[in-house]
């Protein structure tokens, strides 16, 4: 398996967690995501992946884009340990939590959106930080309400073993703690508790951006 991604990409981080939980090894192929001169902007990468994003998993000739599709693929080829519950309603709950992060929280704060805010509207670093914090607060407030009110929430987002929802929650929380965002997690005690519970597990700790061989500290944005 080859995983094309970037150490500090939240979407790549999700897949690393899932692979670690399932005990899957992979070859990491770095794809830089920077404000300027990013690999994902280059014609050769766009030819490989027309979506021009990360992650991409290549396995036995199959090329799979999008973190949720990749994790669902891993769930099918390596069912144990399961990252989706057995009951249909429980599976739907886990997917809904993951999709909320993937579709509602992460996209407004993505690099491509921030670039456009700067280019079209002259947003400086202060404005970009305020933008990111705004969407973090809206998203985590909604997640906190869902998680704190549901009897299905346990040590983790759903029950007492990690699921796909946790694979998505942890990178989003981690990103919110960057100095340019610096969200106050104490506002969302259930989110904070689950995040800390996850990081106690070796699979999550091993998957942190700073524990990747090509890690470099992010600068701004």
């Amino acid at each position: 398996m080859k995983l094309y991604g970037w150490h500090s990409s939240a979407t790549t981080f999700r897949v690393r967690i899932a692979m670690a939980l399932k005990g899957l090894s992979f070859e990491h192929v770095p794809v830089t995501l920077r404000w300027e001169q990013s690999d994902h902007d280059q014609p050769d990468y766009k030819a490989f992946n027309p979506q021009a994003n990360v992650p991409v998993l290549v396995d036995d000739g199959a090329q799979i884009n999008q973190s949720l599709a990749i994790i669902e693929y891993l769930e099918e080829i390596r069912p144990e340990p399961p990252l989706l519950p057995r009951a249909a309603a429980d599976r739907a709950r886990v997917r809904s939590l993951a999709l909320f992060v993937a579709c509602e929280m992460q996209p407004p704060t993505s690099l491509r959106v921030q670039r456009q805010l700067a280019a079209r509207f002259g947003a400086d670093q202060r404005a970009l930080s305020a933008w990111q914090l705004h969407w973090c607060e809206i998203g985590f407030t909604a997640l906190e309400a869902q998680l704190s009110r549901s009897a299905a929430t346990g040590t983790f987002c759903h029950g007492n073993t990690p699921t796909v929802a946790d694979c998505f929650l942890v990178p989003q929380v981690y990103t919110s703690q960057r100095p340019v965002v610096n969200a106050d997690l104490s506002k969302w005690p259930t989110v904070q508790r689950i995040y800390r519970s996850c990081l106690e597990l070796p699979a999550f700790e091993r998957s942190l951006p700073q524990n990747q061989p090509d890690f470099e500290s992010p600068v701004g944005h």
Side-chain angles (χ1 to χ4, degrees):
M1 288 187 180
K2 289 185 178 181
L3 181 64
Y4 291 75
W6 187 233
H7 51 74
S8 293
S9 153
T11 53
T12 308
F13 190 178
R14 299 166 188 166
V15 176
R16 286 200 304 266
I17 294 169
M19 296 185 84
L21 287 169
K22 288 183 174 292
L24 290 167
S25 59
F26 62 91
E27 176 186 346
H28 173 54
V29 183
V31 180
T32 64
L33 300 181
R34 299 192 182 101
W35 195 260
E36 296 177 343
Q37 297 182 329
S38 286
D39 289 343
H40 76 302
D41 294 323
Q42 303 307 312
D44 57 345
Y45 187 74
K46 289 181 178 179
F48 166 68
N49 174 18
Q51 294 183 12
N53 56 14
V54 293
V56 178
L57 181 72
V58 176
D59 181 39
D60 196 25
Q63 179 176 321
I64 307 162
N65 299 63
Q66 296 295 331
S67 57
L68 185 58
I70 293 171
I71 293 173
E72 295 252 13
Y73 170 78
L74 299 175
E75 183 77 350
E76 292 183 12
I77 66 168
R78 182 71 70 89
E80 298 296 330
L83 297 180
L84 286 168
R86 295 188 180 278
D90 293 339
R91 293 167 79 89
R93 179 178 184 267
V94 166
R95 285 189 175 109
S96 74
L97 292 169
L99 284 166
F100 179 72
V101 174
C103 300
E104 305 289 343
M105 291 187 68
Q106 189 271 335
T109 64
S110 67
L111 177 60
R112 64 180 61 186
V113 169
Q114 291 188 69
R115 282 173 164 179
Q116 287 299 304
L117 289 171
R120 291 176 180 266
F121 307 110
D124 58 12
Q125 182 62 74
R126 182 176 179 179
L128 293 174
S129 294
W131 174 269
Q132 293 177 78
L133 181 59
H134 169 77
W135 292 110
C136 278
E137 291 187 335
I138 288 177
F140 287 133
T141 298
L143 282 176
E144 178 68 25
Q146 283 187 278
L147 293 168
S148 64
R149 296 172 187 174
S150 175
T153 302
T155 303
F156 302 100
C157 287
H158 189 88
N160 297 318
T161 57
T163 65
V164 173
D166 302 290
C167 295
F168 280 67
L169 178 71
V170 166
Q172 202 64 32
V173 176
Y174 178 92
T175 301
S176 79
Q177 297 306 287
R178 290 179 56 193
V180 293
V181 185
N182 197 28
D184 179 6
L185 289 184
S186 67
K187 295 179 179 179
W188 312 291
T190 311
V191 169
Q192 185 179 52
R193 175 183 61 74
I194 292 170
Y195 177 66
R196 289 175 174 172
S197 294
C198 287
L199 291 185
E200 291 176 0
L201 299 181
F204 285 86
E205 195 273 338
R206 234 180 7 254
S207 302
L208 288 166
Q210 65 264 31
N211 293 331
Q212 306 315 301
D214 60 334
F215 175 72
E216 58 185 53
S217 297
V219 179
H221 312 301

